[in-house]
Amino acid sequence: MERWKINLAVLWFGQFLVMSGMTMIMPFISLYVQEELGVSDPTHVAWWANAIFAANFITSFIAQPLWGGLADRYGRKIMLLRSGFGMAIVMLLMGFATSAWQLLLLRMMNGVISGFVPAATALMSASAPKERIGFAMGTLQSGAVAGTILGPFIGGSLAEWVGYRPIFYITGTLLFAASALAWAVVQENFQRGSVASKGANLSLGASFRRLVKAPQIPALFAVTVGIQVSMLSSMLLIPLFVQELHGPELLAFYAGLVGSVTGFANMAASPLLGRFADRIGYEKVLTVCLIGAALAFVPQAFVDNVWQLLASRFLLGLFMGGMLPSVNALLRVYTPDGMESRAFGFNSSFLSLGNILGPMLGGALAGWIGIRGIFLFACGMLLANAAWTWTTLRKKRIAPNVRGS
């Protein structure tokens, strides 16, 4: 097997474990706060659960560009291992938390240490052949999506079987094993001196200013935020919408099915659309997928039963499979040589920003326009992103400055 494919397989497995570990606590985080950490008031439980869940994204938003700069200077693999082993230790410590404050601080620390996904993305973008970058990005994303889908299911099942605290020990051990595997198997052809003259020692602010000289890069950052906001604005309200459509019978099952069908479609479509983008162009696939995802939100606003909702959510997932992999492939195209990790680090920050803003906007808009209106809001946001992205990406590339002269 070619070396880049071996890297891809190991990093796929690593991303699956990282994302499943991050989402494993979702089904029981409020119960953990209530039963293990001594918070009894229901209002306080809800506040702590939301704060603990969001803390990881807030600190990750701040820290990712810093790690990206270090990755460009010292190598992507070392940042990958720093993140993997660091998160393994923090995850183990979460199992020993005795108060909500301790768990909150550990989640914040986890966000600071995190960076496995952008480091893996940068490493694959450098090791995969240029004509296969779309396929590599799509396959890599399928691992992250698989972890995101199966993480809550695995966490909920383990909670019933072994209890809450052992899940943190199991997850930490698996993260350690995945990091050890990456340390032993993944290879990176990184020569520090070869990038030093291409901006590896620039400050964070100077790096960002240089990156956004290419108008395509801020457009890609914006579309990352837009994708996350549009997808997450309705996610927390889906169980209530399923209850409205189907009633209380088997509510948990149908709510879980509606929530996961999008991810399964995304996971299946990502490698296929990535390979297709390698042939016809990343800009075309990104634009078509943005428009397709926008239109897939429209029937969700008018469905009469849960089966119609399932079909439209599955269609949405198919188009989602081509969006973030195309964004990552295009970032590699427009980023100056030697600054790839910083570009992916900044993009990871914008992704975290979308993860924060999406549920906040959804909650704020729900009382005004309802969940059906939120679906139409997401449609409009994605269409606006598609128009701006297509217009921007069609501009002539700025060479040689943007490609790292």
Side-chain angles (χ1 to χ4, degrees), residues 56 62 72 102 105 131 152 169 172 226 240 244 312 362 392 399 401:
N56 184 85
I62 298 170
D72 284 331
Q102 291 176 1
L105 291 174
E131 66 276 9
Y169 309 146
L240 298 176
E244 176 187 324
S312 55
T392 305
N401 290 334

Side-chain angles (χ1 to χ4, degrees), residues 179-197:
S179 303
L181 181 64
W183 172 73
V185 178
V186 171
Q187 293 183 9
E188 178 188 18
N189 183 20
F190 182 83
Q191 297 178 351
R192 183 180 174 186
S194 65
V195 299
S197 61

